[in-house]
Amino acid sequence: MLNSVINPAGPPPVIRWPADGVHNDTGDSAPNATNLSHDMVFNEGHVVTIVTYSILMVISAIGNITVLSIILKRRRKAGTRIHAMLMHLAIADLLVTFLMMPLEITWAWTVQWVFGEPLCRIMAFLRIFGLYLSGFILICISVDRYLAVLQPMRLYQMDRRGKLMIGVAWIASFFCSLPQSFIFHVERHPNVTWFEQCVTYNAFSSKLLELGYLYLSMLMMYWLPLIVILFCYASIIVEIYRRSRESICGQGTDNVRRLGFLGRAKSRTLKMTIIIVIAFVVCWTPYYIMSIWYWIDAKSAMTVDQKVQRVLFMFACANSCMNPIVYGAFNIRTRRTLVTQATVSKTSTETRVVEL
């Protein structure tokens, strides 16, 4: 049994080539639903996809548009480097919201691919580009926070370095997504000739090459952001703890005030780190568990209920809903809070560079 390759961007078209349950071996040139397998007709799994993606799209659109509008207002007055990165993160998540999610909803509604070869290749690229960009911008934010704390004497380079990291994130996302437009194509079903699907069947010369591409995609989209996030924020917590220990030995009002700020910074960073890691793992792990299962043993993976499969694959897109909540809550603060922190920061240069 031949299977379409699991797309490392989102829910795959679970179409079997040739499809199990298609009882016409001579070729059926006319639409006849009685000859189609359960996966090739509109079913309860497609209903789950449409409903869930619609809910995710509304939540993500509201959250990311709100964050983006707040950032744009702040940047007109006193935009910061972190605001710029959060703006690009919101843009990346909006690409997922308004490109990938509507595509998945429409695709679930039509079941087969009805938009032709060019759009198959273009949309295969676009449906993964936003996800790559979102992950890479998360890396930029983590590295920026890491450098701000551990290399405070090089703050004059941070703005230029921040712009460079954002540019690299966009370029890297483009090149990581580009193979999708080559491996995805429109394929006719070998038995039901009127049924077409946008799949990766016959795109790879060997199973080893196919698995290599899939695992490389998982490395770039899941493991790389997760490892960088864990390393950067763990290092920040250790550094803040070290500075707070040093402040204990100091004397005077300034040191007491600095110690209090360091304690708040450590607590805030720890909370943010835990939430960021949990959100990333919860959103992406179910997707890759199901994907790896397909890659290793597609036959047994296909025995899982279609509704369960589709929900697990949709977890990845939930990250676009979580980002504005997590990063917006911790990094977009009220004007009153910013004024208060600015007053505190005047007491010490060290206090200013520790602020996250």
Side-chain angles (χ1 to χ4, degrees):
M1 179 175 60
L2 300 173
N3 306 289
S4 63
V5 174
I6 303 303
N7 178 17
V14 279
I15 303 298
R16 302 165 177 83
W17 303 106
D20 295 338
V22 178
H23 302 294
N24 183 3
D25 296 329
T26 59
D28 189 354
S29 58
N32 186 355
T34 60
N35 290 331
L36 302 181
S37 71
H38 182 69
D39 297 336
M40 297 172 66
V41 295
F42 189 81
N43 57 55
E44 63 278 3
H46 297 98
V47 175
V48 171
T49 298
I50 293 171
V51 172
T52 307
Y53 269 121
S54 298
I55 295 172
L56 289 176
M57 188 167 67
V58 172
I59 296 174
S60 180
I62 293 173
N64 285 290
I65 290 175
T66 300
V67 169
L68 187 60
S69 62
I70 293 173
I71 292 173
L72 291 176
K73 290 178 182 178
R74 294 275 172 83
R75 281 175 62 83
R76 294 193 192 102
K77 298 178 181 180
T80 63
R81 190 175 59 260
I82 191 63
H83 284 162
M85 291 187 176
L86 289 173
M87 181 183 70
H88 283 269
L89 179 63
I91 292 172
D93 290 332
L94 287 173
L95 289 176
V96 176
T97 304
F98 292 118
L99 288 178
M100 179 182 175
M101 293 184 186
L103 169 65
E104 300 299 340
I105 292 171
T106 307
W107 203 345
W109 181 265
T110 61
V111 183
Q112 65 173 314
W113 185 260
V114 297
F115 305 107
E117 181 82 22
L119 273 180
C120 169
R121 297 181 182 275
I122 292 172
M123 294 310 297
F125 170 86
L126 292 177
R127 73 196 293 238
I128 194 175
F129 177 78
L131 292 171
Y132 267 122
L133 182 59
S134 180
F136 290 158
I137 294 295
L138 293 182
I139 291 176
C140 292
I141 293 173
S142 301
V143 173
D144 178 79
R145 301 297 83 196
Y146 171 85
L147 294 175
V149 174
L150 274 76
Q151 297 184 14
M153 303 308 295
R154 301 177 67 181
L155 286 176
Y156 65 93
Q157 297 180 349
M158 293 297 287
D159 288 338
R160 186 180 65 178
R161 189 160 46 195
K163 293 177 182 178
L164 178 62
M165 286 193 296
I166 291 173
V168 170
W170 279 86
I171 295 172
S173 301
F174 175 84
F175 283 105
C176 287
S177 306
L178 193 60
Q180 293 286 99
S181 61
F182 293 98
I183 65 175
F184 270 84
H185 59 280
V186 174
E187 188 89 18
R188 285 181 178 271
H189 193 282
N191 295 331
V192 187
T193 55
W194 57 266
F195 192 95
E196 294 184 337
Q197 193 59 278
C198 183
V199 292
T200 61
Y201 178 57
N202 278 336
F204 296 95
S205 58
S206 68
K207 182 68 175 178
L208 184 62
L209 184 62
E210 173 188 319
L211 288 175
Y213 171 73
L214 293 171
Y215 282 113
L216 179 61
S217 299
M218 180 175 67
L219 173 66
M220 299 301 293
M221 191 175 288
Y222 178 70
W223 287 111
L224 181 62
L226 181 60
I227 291 171
V228 172
I229 289 171
L230 284 172
F231 173 79
C232 289
Y233 284 104
S235 300
I236 289 171
I237 292 172
V238 170
E239 179 66 12
I240 292 176
Y241 179 78
R242 184 187 66 80
R243 293 186 190 182
S244 64
R245 293 285 294 179
E246 291 177 354
S247 297
I248 294 176
C249 301
Q251 300 293 329
T253 303
D254 287 349
N255 283 323
V256 172
R257 184 179 297 176
R258 185 184 311 129
L259 179 59
F261 181 84
L262 285 168
R264 291 193 299 273
K266 181 169 62 176
S267 175
R268 178 171 171 270
T269 303
L270 180 60
K271 291 177 182 178
M272 183 170 66
T273 303
I274 293 172
I275 295 175
I276 289 170
V277 173
I278 290 176
F280 192 85
V281 170
V282 167
C283 290
W284 279 103
T285 301
Y287 169 84
Y288 275 112
I289 288 175
M290 196 69 228
S291 294
I292 292 173
W293 191 356
Y294 259 98
W295 303 342
I296 295 174
D297 186 3
K299 187 174 182 180
S300 66
M302 288 176 183
T303 61
V304 179
D305 186 271
Q306 285 293 305
K307 296 188 290 295
V308 175
Q309 287 189 47
R310 291 176 183 274
V311 169
L312 291 178
F313 281 123
M314 284 183 282
F315 261 87
C317 295
N319 201 45
S320 295
C321 303
M322 296 298 297
N323 284 337
I325 298 173
V326 175
Y327 286 89
F330 281 98
N331 292 284
I332 301 177
R333 291 151 286 180
T334 63
R335 186 175 181 180
R336 182 177 178 181
T337 303
L338 289 173
V339 171
T340 302
Q341 290 186 351
T343 302
V344 173
S345 68
K346 291 179 181 178
T347 62
S348 170
T349 302
E350 180 178 297
T351 302
R352 186 164 53 250
V353 301
V354 170
E355 182 184 2
L356 300 179

